[in-house]
């Protein structure tokens, strides 16, 4: 089917209503079909793929897609209302799902199969959750709750993580069609249907301004959440909505068009190099990719392809248009291909030749999906003369329904299997059968017994603050305070910092109850105390940490606990551990407030070739307690780095429980029949409790409380 402009003459190329980027529907301007915007999609998706695979960054291509989505979808709704007198909520939603779901379902089924074949069964539950989240378009909220770093591709990352943007768009489509349908109905009710476009523009500007302000605030206070937040992303889509109303009425001069086109293409190419998007988008920095998309939309408005500025004509060439036609399936395929490659070959990154292979395979799968799934399904649903018989439409419907049922059923069945397993180990285990850390620190022999917690119990093996909401999460800088131990005691130990200070709390709580002192906790996920301007977590900026740390340091100065307990080292991905200079800056701050500090050496983080891995994953694949562990020399330096670092601080006391976690040569994942780690680097609550005697022996001479 050849696209036609308003006058009814054929468009310049034979391009059907096939896939249009992330979005479903490509829409011509009222006068002319925009092949250059197809090419813009092709360029943007190429940059998304390249930056994901080789540079571990985001390119701004997703932000450009969001603008185009708002532009195309709104234009479609407005023109449909003009031609039929109604937006057609249900027909539009049906058509949208017909265009989006077939390719999505194929990828979800493929990912499920690959997960079963390649990933340990302890990972299947996460993929099942994310498959459902992707299918029902709430994947962005699923990721926001865990603050998944979008650009950090490694074997531990979900192969479906990239589908957050599809969820944002799906939510927008639903909201936009209802919103514009309501506006159209209201305009008809007052007898002024021509007001629909002005009303749409006004509401897009008002709501977009509110969303932009919300995103700007979130970029400062909760960027981890902000990146995935539909309300923070809305302004980018609403910018496209506003352009759908404004752009067709603009008549820029020839020079203005050329300037806009050159700047737009240059901006698209430069965005990924100028901005580390995962740390700043969709805050004010996202104005850059949004502006580049707007510039290219405006530069070609109302012109036939032959009259476009030369940058637009380059985008309208056949290779770019064809790449744009593959943009949606290419986006769907490239990320899982990358992640499964890293899993299979146990790599953290890919080299140039490996990246070429991944891109080539992704392009082949995208081409097959487009021509073998998308186009046949769409043809089966067309109702124009010469379209496929009704039987084909029923076959297409049945295929989509069957794939949906398979995804839902597989995810649900695995949940039933997992939920049937015990997930909460007993509060107290027999110390004879389960000596845990005492097998190392006190030489207590452990008789043969089933490991506890099991691989299914491990995820629930969390310390009390996490279970009770007494730790600030990724998305807030608010200080949360709770009290443990002997709450009536006048002797106070303040446990502060990240989850690596928190996971000692089960041991400390036993000691506090037994020896009558209280524990006050000030904790935040991923945030050891810091005074750095731009603290990092897993190599990425953690802006929420700064204000939280400053408030905690000042709060400690006011509360004046007898002792402060926090971590004194951290691991280095290349091997060993260190006491960062920032820790010394924090010690200076605490010293200036007259506080005594106990700094404990951090436990080993499970890593292989710099890649973190979970103990339960390794064990579920048949590994044993030693084989799944690390060599002690790889995990830690021979001497606790905090000893030398604290030598000039008379109020800072380093302690080290490595010998209660590691054997002389190996740091295992199970000791004394107790699983040590519930993930890559956090102690299980059960193992932490078995550390109480060893921890007490080191704390006693320092605290002098027993």
């Amino acid at each position: 089917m050849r696209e036609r402009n308003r006058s009814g003459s054929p468009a310049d190329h034979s391009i059907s209503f096939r896939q249009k980027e992330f979005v479903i529907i490509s829409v011509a301007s009222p006068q002319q079909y925009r092949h250059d915007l197809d090419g813009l999609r092709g360029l943007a998706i190429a940059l998304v793929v390249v930056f994901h695979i080789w540079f571990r960054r985001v390119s701004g291509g997703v932000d450009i897609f969001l603008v185009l989505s708002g532009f195309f979808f709104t234009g479609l709704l407005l023109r449909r209302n003009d031609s039929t007198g109604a937006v057609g909520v249900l027909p539009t939603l049906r058509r949208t799902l017909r265009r989006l779901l077939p390719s999505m379902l194929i990828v979800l089924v493929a990912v499920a199969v690959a997960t079963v074949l390649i990933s340990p069964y302890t990972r299947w539950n996460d993929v099942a959750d994310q498959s459902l989240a992707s299918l029902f378009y709430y994947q962005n909220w699923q990721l926001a709750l865990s603050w998944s770093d979008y650009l950090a591709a490694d074997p531990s990352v979900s192969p479906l993580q990239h589908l957050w943007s599809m969820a944002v768009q799906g939510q927008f489509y639903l909201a936009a069609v209802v919103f514009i349908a309501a506006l159209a109905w209201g305009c008809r009710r007052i007898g002024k249907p021509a007001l629909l476009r002005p009303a749409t523009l006004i509401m897009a500007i008002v709501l977009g301004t509110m969303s932009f302000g919300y995103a700007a605030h979130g970029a400062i206070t909760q960027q981890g959440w902000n990146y995935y937040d539909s309300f923070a992303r809305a302004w980018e889509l609403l910018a496209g909505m506003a352009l759908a109303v404004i752009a067709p009425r603009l008549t820029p001069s020839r020079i203005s068009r050329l300037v806009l086109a050159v700047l737009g293409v240059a901006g698209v190419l430069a965005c990924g190099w100028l901005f580390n998007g995962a740390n700043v988008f969709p805050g004010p920095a996202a104005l850059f990719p949004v502006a580049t998309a707007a510039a290219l939309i405006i530069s070609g408005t109302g012109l036939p392809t032959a009259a476009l500025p030369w940058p637009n004509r380059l985008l309208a060439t056949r290779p770019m248009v064809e790449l744009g036609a593959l943009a949606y399936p290419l986006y769907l395929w490239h990320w899982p291909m990358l992640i499964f490659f890293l899993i299979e070959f146990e790599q953290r990154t890919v080299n140039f030749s490996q990246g070429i292979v991944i891109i080539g395979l992704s392009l082949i799968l995208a081409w097959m999906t487009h021509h073998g799934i998308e186009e046949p399904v769409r043809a089966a649903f067309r109702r124009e003369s010469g379209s496929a018989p009704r039987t084909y439409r029923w076959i297409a419907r049945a295929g989509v329904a069957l794939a949906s049922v398979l995804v839902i059923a597989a995810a649900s069945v695995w949940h039933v299997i997992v939920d049937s397993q015990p997930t909460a180990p007993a509060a107290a285990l027999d110390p004879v059968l389960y000596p845990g850390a005492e097998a190392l620190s006190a030489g207590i022999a452990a008789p043969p017994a089933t490991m506890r917690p099991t691989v299914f119990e491990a995820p629930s093996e969390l310390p009390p603050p996490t279970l009770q909401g007494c730790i600030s999460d990724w998305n807030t800088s608010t200080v949360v305070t709770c009290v443990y131990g002997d709450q009536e005691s006048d002797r106070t130990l303040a446990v502060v910092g990240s989850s690596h200070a928190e996971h000692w709390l089960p041991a400390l709580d036993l000691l506090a109850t037994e020896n009558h002192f209280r524990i006050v906790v000030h904790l935040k996920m991923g945030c050891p105390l810091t005074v750095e301007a731009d603290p990092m977590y897993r190599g990425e900026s953690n802006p929420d940490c700064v204000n939280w740390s400053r408030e905690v340091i000042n709060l400690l100065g006011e509360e004046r606990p007898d002792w402060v307990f926090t971590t004194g080292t951290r691991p280095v991905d290349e091997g060993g551990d260190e006491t960062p200079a920032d820790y010394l800056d924090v010690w200076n701050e605490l010293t200036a407030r007259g506080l005594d500090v106990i700094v404990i050496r951090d436990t080993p983080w499970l890593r292989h070739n710099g890649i973190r891995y979970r103990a339960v994953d390794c064990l579920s694949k048949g590994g044993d307690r030693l084989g799944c562990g690390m060599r002690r020399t790889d995990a830690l330096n021979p001497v606790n780095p905090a000893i030398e670092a604290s030598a000039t601080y008379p109020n800072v006391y380093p302690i080290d429980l490595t010998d209660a976690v590691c054997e002389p040569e190996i740091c295992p994942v199970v000791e004394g029949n107790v699983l040590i780690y519930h993930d890559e680097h956090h102690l299980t609550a059960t193992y932490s409790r078995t550390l109480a005697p060893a921890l007490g022996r080191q704390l006693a001479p320092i605290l002098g409380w027993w």
Side-chain angles (χ1 to χ4, degrees):
M1 171 181 154
R2 292 168 66 84
E3 300 289 355
R4 294 178 178 269
N5 61 25
R6 171 173 280 188
S7 65
S9 61
D12 292 342
H13 302 293
S14 294
I15 304 291
S16 66
F17 264 129
R18 54 200 181 188
Q19 122 9 299
K20 299 301 176 189
E21 48 90 52
F22 282 19
V23 191
I24 42 181
I25 304 152
S26 179
V27 182
S29 70
Q31 289 76 32
Q32 189 68 34
Y33 182 78
R34 296 291 301 276
H35 297 290
D36 58 318
L37 297 185
D38 286 340
L40 175 58
R41 273 194 294 266
L43 177 61
I45 192 61
L47 291 171
V48 167
V49 172
V50 166
F51 273 79
H52 279 169
I53 289 177
W54 283 306
F55 302 107
R56 294 170 59 85
R57 293 165 66 100
V58 297
S59 65
V62 168
D63 304 85
I64 292 169
F65 283 138
L66 294 180
V67 176
L68 292 174
S69 298
F71 176 75
F72 290 142
F73 194 70
T74 303
L76 170 75
L77 297 178
L78 293 175
R79 287 194 302 281
R80 178 169 290 171
N81 183 73
D82 291 344
S83 61
T84 66
V87 169
V89 174
L90 292 180
T92 299
L93 292 178
R94 282 198 301 268
R95 183 179 180 184
T96 300
L97 289 175
R98 287 202 302 264
R99 292 178 177 277
L100 288 176
L101 276 184
S103 297
M104 170 84 78
L105 287 166
I106 290 298
V107 172
L108 292 180
V109 170
V111 166
V113 172
T115 298
V116 171
L117 295 176
I118 296 175
S119 297
Y121 62 79
T122 45
R123 289 279 180 187
W124 295 1
N125 208 45
D126 292 338
V127 174
D129 285 340
Q130 296 204 18
S131 295
L132 292 175
S134 301
L135 183 62
F136 292 104
Y137 290 89
Y138 62 88
Q139 171 76 313
N140 61 313
W141 299 116
Q142 182 95 351
L143 295 172
L145 291 170
S146 60
W147 192 32
S148 297
D149 295 319
Y150 181 52
L151 57 88
D154 67 42
S156 67
V157 171
S158 166
L160 298 175
Q161 185 167 288
H162 65 313
L163 297 183
W164 70 268
S165 60
M166 292 302 304
V168 170
Q169 290 182 83
Q171 294 159 29
F172 170 79
Y173 297 148
L174 178 60
V177 71
V178 173
F179 170 72
I180 293 179
L183 282 181
W185 178 84
C187 291
R188 289 195 302 271
R189 288 283 293 177
I190 64 174
K192 297 181 183 262
L195 288 179
L196 176 59
R197 278 180 167 74
T200 300
L201 177 61
I202 291 170
M203 293 305 296
I205 292 173
V206 171
L207 295 175
T209 301
M210 294 170 62
S211 171
F212 180 81
Y214 174 75
H217 178 71
I220 298 171
T221 60
Q222 50 181 18
Q223 175 58 19
W225 178 278
N226 202 51
Y227 189 82
Y228 299 107
D229 190 339
S230 299
F231 301 107
R233 289 283 177 180
W235 73 270
E236 297 177 300
L237 291 142
L238 290 166
M241 178 180 283
L243 284 166
V245 178
I246 297 172
R249 287 158 177 76
L250 298 178
T251 55
S253 67
R254 183 176 179 181
I255 296 298
S256 298
R257 291 179 186 272
L258 179 60
V259 170
L260 288 172
V262 170
L263 292 177
V265 171
V268 172
L269 295 173
C271 185
W273 303 107
L274 295 176
F275 299 96
N276 191 351
N279 294 338
V280 293
F281 294 165
L287 284 168
F288 188 89
V290 170
T292 62
L296 286 166
I297 289 172
I298 294 171
S299 65
T301 184
L303 295 180
T305 300
L308 292 172
W310 64 263
N312 299 72
R313 292 200 303 275
L314 288 176
L315 292 175
T317 56
R318 186 175 183 83
M320 295 303 297
V321 171
E322 290 299 324
L323 183 58
L326 298 179
Y328 177 46
L330 179 57
Y331 182 79
L332 293 180
W333 281 113
H334 85 282
W335 184 263
M337 291 293 294
L338 172 61
I339 298 304
F340 284 121
F341 182 94
L342 296 174
I343 292 173
E344 179 65 18
F345 294 99
E346 297 184 347
Q347 295 178 199
R348 190 178 183 188
T349 58
V350 297
N351 59 34
F352 180 76
S353 59
Q354 292 169 336
I356 291 294
V357 171
I358 292 170
I359 292 173
L361 292 174
S362 300
L363 280 168
I364 291 171
L365 289 170
W367 187 90
M368 293 172 62
T369 302
H370 178 58
H371 292 287
I373 302 296
E374 290 179 341
E375 289 187 330
V377 169
R378 290 166 190 173
F381 281 106
R382 289 181 188 137
R383 298 179 180 274
E384 303 88 3
S385 59
S387 64
R390 181 181 296 273
T391 302
Y392 290 177
R393 291 199 293 274
W394 280 109
I395 293 174
R397 290 190 182 103
V400 172
L402 178 61
S404 300
V405 169
L406 285 174
V407 172
I408 296 170
S412 301
V413 167
W414 183 248
H415 268 293
V416 170
I417 294 173
V418 172
D419 292 342
S420 68
Q421 304 294 323
T423 57
L429 298 175
D430 183 348
V432 175
L433 290 177
Y434 296 96
E438 285 292 84
L440 287 174
S441 58
I444 298 176
T450 302
M451 180 192 76
R452 296 294 301 274
T454 67
V455 294
F456 288 107
E457 293 169 339
S460 64
E461 277 280 323
L462 305 172
T466 293
L467 295 174
Q468 298 166 7
C470 290
I471 181 171
S472 300
D473 61 24
W474 303 113
N475 307 307
T476 179
S477 58
T478 302
V479 176
V480 179
T481 301
C482 292
V483 181
Y484 296 92
D486 183 351
Q487 300 188 21
E488 303 303 320
S489 175
D490 58 0
R491 300 183 303 193
T492 302
L493 176 75
V495 178
V496 301
S498 70
S499 55
H500 279 262
E502 179 200 23
H503 69 187
W504 296 97
L505 190 67
L508 287 168
D509 194 31
L510 290 176
L511 293 172
T513 302
E514 179 182 347
N515 298 291
H516 305 292
F517 63 93
R518 67 196 292 262
I519 300 173
V520 175
V521 300
H522 305 307
L523 302 163
K524 178 172 171 58
M525 296 178 183
C527 183
L529 285 183
T530 182
V531 293
E532 280 190 324
D534 185 22
M536 311 293 285
Y537 173 74
R538 293 189 65 174
E540 304 305 326
S541 180
N542 186 9
D544 301 342
C545 188
V546 181
N547 294 335
W548 180 88
S549 293
R550 176 56 58 189
E551 186 174 347
V552 167
I553 291 171
N554 291 334
L555 189 59
L556 291 172
E558 297 170 3
E559 294 176 342
R560 306 204 60 77
D562 298 282
W563 291 91
V564 175
F565 181 99
T566 191
T567 51
T569 65
R570 71 179 177 195
V572 179
D573 277 338
E574 291 71 26
D577 56 345
E578 65 177 358
T579 296
D582 184 45
Y583 285 23
L584 275 62
D585 294 334
V586 171
W587 299 351
N588 287 328
E589 294 276 352
L590 298 176
T591 299
R593 289 161 174 78
L595 297 171
D596 292 323
V597 186
I598 297 169
V599 293
I600 191 166
R601 190 179 195 179
D602 202 358
T603 51
W605 291 31
L606 299 176
R607 294 163 294 171
H608 178 66
N609 294 331
I611 301 170
R612 298 184 181 96
Y613 64 91
R614 301 195 308 178
V616 294
D617 293 341
C618 182
L619 293 169
S620 69
K621 292 172 69 175
D624 58 30
R625 56 181 290 274
L626 297 178
C628 290
M630 293 182 64
R631 291 189 303 174
R632 183 163 172 162
T633 53
D634 291 339
L636 301 167
N637 290 355
V639 178
N640 181 6
I643 294 175
E644 180 180 355
S646 64
T648 57
Y649 293 87
N651 65 312
V652 176
Y653 298 78
I655 62 174
D656 184 356
L657 266 73
T658 299
D659 288 338
V661 177
C662 295
E663 298 180 3
E665 300 295 329
I666 300 291
C667 296
V669 298
V670 181
E671 193 63 63
N673 296 326
V674 178
L675 179 65
I676 296 177
Y677 299 97
H678 73 75
D679 59 8
E680 299 98 328
H681 46 78
H682 292 101
L683 299 174
T684 62
T686 297
Y687 196 81
S688 181
R689 284 191 290 269
T690 70
L691 284 163
L695 181 59
R697 289 190 286 270
Q698 293 206 24
L699 287 179
I702 298 173
L703 299 177
W705 290 343
W706 63 89

